[in-house]
């Protein structure tokens, strides 16, 4: 005699204990993943910190020459304006590491750059003098007609 019985495959048979264990394993691995990200982030910041976003401030200044003013006086006013602009640039923004200033002068309708000031924050902190860091344009005097000033009509 044979006994006939229906056998269900094991994959179809629900095992409540196994499904609960699998759910707990997923929850535990998720918690471990979430908890480990903060120490990993601190470790990465300690090994390789982010780059500071510093930049160069660029300033263009234009000055008008005054009547009966010679080139040396214009140059001193340009240096004073460049010094004030450099100090203002460093004071206004803490991320500025370098300042680049070009000072142009207008005289009798012509305009030309007379000096450029390129200085870094540590250089400026050690010596805040525009004459020390300025580069002067030699041809500015003739381009602005200061060499033959007496030949031009008065303003």
């Amino acid at each position: 005699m044979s006994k006939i019985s229906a056998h269900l495959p094991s994959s179809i048979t629900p095992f409540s204990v196994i499904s609960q264990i699998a759910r707990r394993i997923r929850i535990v691995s998720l918690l471990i993943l979430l908890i480990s990200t903060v120490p990993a982030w601190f470790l990465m910041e300690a090994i390789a910190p982010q780059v500071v976003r510093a930049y160069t401030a660029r300033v263009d200044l234009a000055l008008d020459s005054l009547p009966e003013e010679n080139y040396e006086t214009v140059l001193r006013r340009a240096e004073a304006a460049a010094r004030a602009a450099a100090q203002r640039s460093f004071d206004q923004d803490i991320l500025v590491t370098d300042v680049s200033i070009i000072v142009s002068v207008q005289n009798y309708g012509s305009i030309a750059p007379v000096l450029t000031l390129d200085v870094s924050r540590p250089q400026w902190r050690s010596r805040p003098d525009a004459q020390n860091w300025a580069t002067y344009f030699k041809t500015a005097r003739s381009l602005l007609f200061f060499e033959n000033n007496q030949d031009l009509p008065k303003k």
Side-chain angles (χ1 to χ4, degrees):
M1 296 215 166
S2 76
K3 187 176 181 181
I4 300 177
S5 62
H7 293 282
L8 295 173
S10 62
S11 64
I12 297 175
T13 307
F15 290 102
S16 63
V17 174
I18 293 176
S19 66
Q20 287 176 358
I21 292 172
R23 186 175 302 132
R24 288 186 185 186
I25 289 174
R26 278 186 251 142
I27 291 172
V28 168
S29 63
L30 181 64
L31 285 175
I32 290 173
L33 180 66
L34 288 175
I35 292 172
S36 66
T37 55
V38 172
W41 178 74
F42 277 121
L43 181 65
M44 289 303 294
E45 284 297 315
I47 293 172
Q50 290 183 352
V51 176
V52 176
R53 299 192 195 305
Y55 61 92
T56 301
R58 303 200 189 284
V59 180
D60 292 327
L61 298 174
L63 300 176
D64 290 328
S65 66
L66 300 174
E68 302 299 326
E69 188 175 35
N70 62 13
Y71 184 71
E72 287 72 27
T73 309
V74 169
L75 204 55
R76 297 304 151 240
R77 282 197 315 131
E79 289 169 351
R83 182 187 188 292
Q87 189 64 50
R88 192 176 327 113
S89 296
F90 286 130
D91 290 344
Q92 284 180 349
D93 194 351
I94 196 164
L95 294 179
V96 171
T97 56
D98 297 309
V99 172
S100 177
I101 299 169
I102 298 175
V103 181
S104 300
V105 173
Q106 181 176 355
N107 186 39
Y108 292 110
S110 62
I111 187 165
V114 292
L115 68 90
T116 180
L117 178 73
D118 294 315
V119 64
S120 67
R121 187 180 289 270
Q123 290 171 333
W124 188 257
R125 192 176 297 137
S126 69
R127 189 161 182 191
D129 183 20
Q131 289 181 347
N132 193 40
W133 309 111
T135 303
Y136 299 92
F137 296 103
K138 294 178 183 178
T139 57
R141 180 187 296 257
S142 62
L143 289 173
L144 294 171
F145 303 113
F146 276 109
E147 287 181 342
N148 49 1
N149 208 3
Q150 62 275 10
D151 297 341
L152 293 172
K154 302 291 183 210
K155 285 185 182 179

